[in-house]
Amino acid sequence: DAKTTQPPSMDCAEGRAANLPCNHSTISGNEYVYWYRQIHSQGPQYIIHGLKNNETNEMASLIITEDRKSSTLILPHATLRDTAVYYCIVRVGQGGSEKLVFGKGTKLTVNP
Amino acid sequence: GAVVSQHPSRVICKSGTSVKIECRSLDFQATTMFWYRQFPKQSLMLMATSNEGSKATYEQGVEKDKFLINHASLTLSTLTVTSAHPEDSSFYICSARGPGPYSGNTIYFGEGSWLTVV
């Protein structure tokens, strides 16, 4: 079973920041938080991941709370092409046996 | 990022026949690949973990004799749906763990393969 909780849907205005929350209250100390998104009828696209420090790349920023029980994915300037289902995933397993178990994700709709 | 490619992207087969889907890591070697299935409007469901040179590990409830997985090389894993039935029609997606020995290395996904059994 997925170890994360996300709102089922969110809306965002084009050009504004989209902040997608995720709760992972049972996360272990060595488990990473991963974010992927899936545009309709395509394979999931990797966005970003982190362990405990905040992370930023060309796509997004990831803010992880100090207790690591929740995180927020930030798309700084959302565009219509960012409309997708966003998955927050805690990587299950360790030592080479890691796998990604998907929950239901958040359907983000970016409106013009 | 690393590239994972699937083939075919779409396939239609007759009920009772078998169909093979290939998953390739194009620019890196992947000792571990994963196979998922996704029904319309649902999330991805992990079917099995494929390790190069060894038998795949199947998730609970997935029939290993129906969904044959072969990971014969570091860049290729195949999923064969045997004796396909219409209820096997789905979106099948593979993924591969990127290069590096660390727990934090990224898993990349293929484009997915649509299977329709008629």
Side-chain angles (χ1 to χ4, degrees):
Chain A
D1 291 335
K3 299 169 61 174
T4 62
T5 303
Q6 298 177 254
S9 64
M10 292 183 65
D11 283 86
C12 176
E14 187 179 18
R16 304 298 291 269
N19 298 295
L20 291 87
C22 179
N23 287 323
H24 31 79
S25 57
T26 60
I27 193 169
S28 299
N30 59 351
E31 290 180 321
Y32 286 76
V33 178
Y34 277 77
W35 282 84
Y36 287 81
R37 71 181 182 184
Q38 187 179 27
I39 297 170
H40 183 62
S41 299
Q42 297 181 23
Q45 177 188 21
Y46 166 77
I47 301 174
I48 199 167
H49 74 279
L51 184 61
K52 48 185 167 182
N53 297 322
N54 297 338
E55 302 287 345
T56 295
N57 62 20
E58 64 278 5
M59 289 184 68
S61 295
L62 175 61
I63 307 299
I64 303 175
T65 58
E66 192 170 341
D67 62 8
R68 302 187 70 237
K69 293 186 176 181
S70 65
S71 61
T72 301
L73 178 75
I74 301 173
L75 308 178
H77 305 287
T79 70
L80 298 179
R81 288 181 294 180
D82 291 323
T83 292
V85 178
Y86 287 76
Y87 295 98
C88 166
I89 304 166
V90 171
R91 197 144 158 178
V92 177
Q94 57 184 329
S97 65
E98 300 92 342
K99 57 187 179 182
L100 297 178
V101 177
F102 284 75
K104 296 182 178 180
T106 295
K107 180 172 173 56
L108 174 69
T109 301
V110 181
N111 300 304
Chain B
V3 178
V4 176
S5 179
Q6 282 184 241
H7 177 80
S9 57
R10 291 181 179 272
V11 58
I12 300 173
C13 71
K14 292 185 177 181
S15 186
T17 63
S18 296
V19 61
K20 180 186 290 186
I21 300 171
E22 294 185 345
C23 176
R24 294 181 185 274
S25 56
L26 296 185
D27 51 358
F28 66 99
Q29 293 182 331
T31 55
T32 304
M33 291 184 173
F34 306 88
W35 286 95
Y36 292 81
R37 179 169 56 180
Q38 185 177 32
F39 293 109
K41 297 187 178 181
Q42 294 186 23
S43 186
L44 285 77
M45 185 194 79
L46 179 65
M47 299 175 66
T49 301
S50 166
N51 292 297
E52 187 268 337
S54 63
K55 291 183 179 180
T57 302
Y58 290 82
E59 295 298 307
Q60 190 173 8
V62 177
E63 300 175 61
K64 61 181 181 181
D65 294 329
K66 180 168 182 63
F67 299 100
L68 301 180
I69 292 172
N70 184 291
H71 193 161
S73 78
L74 288 172
T75 59
L76 174 64
S77 177
T78 60
L79 168 68
T80 301
V81 182
T82 63
S83 187
H85 291 281
E87 55 264 32
D88 297 325
S89 298
S90 187
F91 190 48
Y92 291 87
I93 311 167
C94 75
S95 64
R97 181 185 295 122
Y102 308 107
S103 297
N105 58 342
T106 301
I107 293 176
Y108 297 96
F109 286 80
E111 316 96 318
S113 299
W114 284 101
L115 169 63
T116 301
V117 184
V118 297

